[in-house]
Amino acid sequence: MKQYGFFFDCSLCVGCSACQFACREANQLAPGQYFRRVLRLEPESGLGYVGFFSAGCAHCLEPACVNACPNGAMYRDAERGLVLHDSKRCIGCSTCVWACPYGAVSISPETGKAQKCTGCAARTEQGMLPACVSSCPVQALRFGPIAELEAMGGCIPEAGFLPDSGKTVPSLRIRKKTEGKP
C-alpha cells in the first residue's frame, strides 16, 4: 500500500481560504461547515512568526477516530491509506469526533452522522487533485504519496500548534519558513 497524505508549505500560504471554500463546495457542505479550515497562527503558536495553516484530516497511520469507532464506520482505505467513513455503518455516537486530536471529524446537522475529509477520494481515483489542493493559488497545499511529499522537504509536524505526531502518525508534512527568508 502506498500511503497518501498532504503537504503544507507555511512559507507560501497567504491565508486566502481558497482551500477551505473549495472543500466546502466540493463536499456540498452547508455554510459554516468545513472539512478544512485556514487558521491564523501567531508567533507564540510554535511557528515562530505570524502565518497561516490549512487544517484538515491528517489521514493518520494510527488514526484515533478509527480506533475509537465502535462499529467500523471509520476505516483506513487499503489502497492509499486514506481515512474514510462509511455513513451506512455510522450510528452518530461522536466517539470519532472526541478522539480526533486534529478536530477533523464533525457530526452533520442534517444526517446526525460523522463526516470528514476523504482526500477527495472520488476525484483522486480519477487522477484529479483534491479540491482544496487544486484551488490553492500559490501551491502551498499539495497531495500525493507521503514519500514524495517528504522528498519535497516536508517534515512530520512537530510545531506547537499541532498535537503530538507520535500518537497518531499523521500523513501530513509541513515546511515552515526558513530563517531569514520570507
Side-chain angles (χ1 to χ4, degrees):
M1 167 180 53
K2 231 182 209 184
Q3 179 63 45
Y4 280 70
F6 287 95
F7 173 90
F8 183 73
D9 191 333
C10 291
S11 69
L12 295 177
C13 183
V14 296
C16 70
S17 298
C19 57
Q20 178 176 299
F21 293 110
C23 173
R24 187 183 79 194
E25 291 301 313
N27 290 288
Q28 301 174 351
L29 299 172
Q33 291 183 347
Y34 299 98
F35 292 163
R36 180 162 294 283
R37 298 165 316 283
V38 175
L39 308 173
R40 179 184 164 92
L41 303 172
E42 300 300 327
E44 58 274 4
S45 68
L47 193 59
Y49 54 88
V50 174
F52 299 95
F53 179 66
S54 180
C57 181
H59 297 282
C60 304
L61 294 176
E62 296 292 331
C65 61
V66 171
N67 295 334
C69 184
N71 60 345
M74 287 286 183
Y75 65 98
R76 285 189 68 229
D77 170 57
E79 187 178 322
R80 295 178 293 162
L82 297 175
V83 177
L84 302 177
H85 178 257
D86 181 350
S87 63
K88 292 178 187 137
R89 296 183 79 176
C90 182
I91 58 173
C93 67
S94 298
T95 56
C96 55
V97 175
W98 301 324
C100 177
Y102 295 94
V105 186
S106 62
I107 298 295
S108 167
E110 289 83 24
T111 66
K113 296 182 179 192
Q115 59 181 9
K116 63 173 287 305
C117 162
T118 64
C120 286
R123 288 174 58 98
T124 57
E125 285 172 1
Q126 297 174 22
M128 298 169 23
L129 292 171
C132 59
V133 174
S134 64
S135 71
C136 182
V138 295
Q139 296 184 335
L141 190 58
R142 308 275 180 104
F143 177 83
I146 204 72
E148 292 176 21
L149 302 179
E150 287 171 344
M152 294 172 58
C155 62
I156 293 176
E158 296 299 346
F161 61 92
L162 290 173
D164 176 10
S165 66
K167 293 182 181 178
T168 61
V169 192
S171 296
L172 168 68
R173 299 299 181 263
I174 296 176
R175 180 185 299 146
K176 294 195 250 181
K177 195 181 299 185
T178 56
E179 287 296 318
K181 293 188 179 181

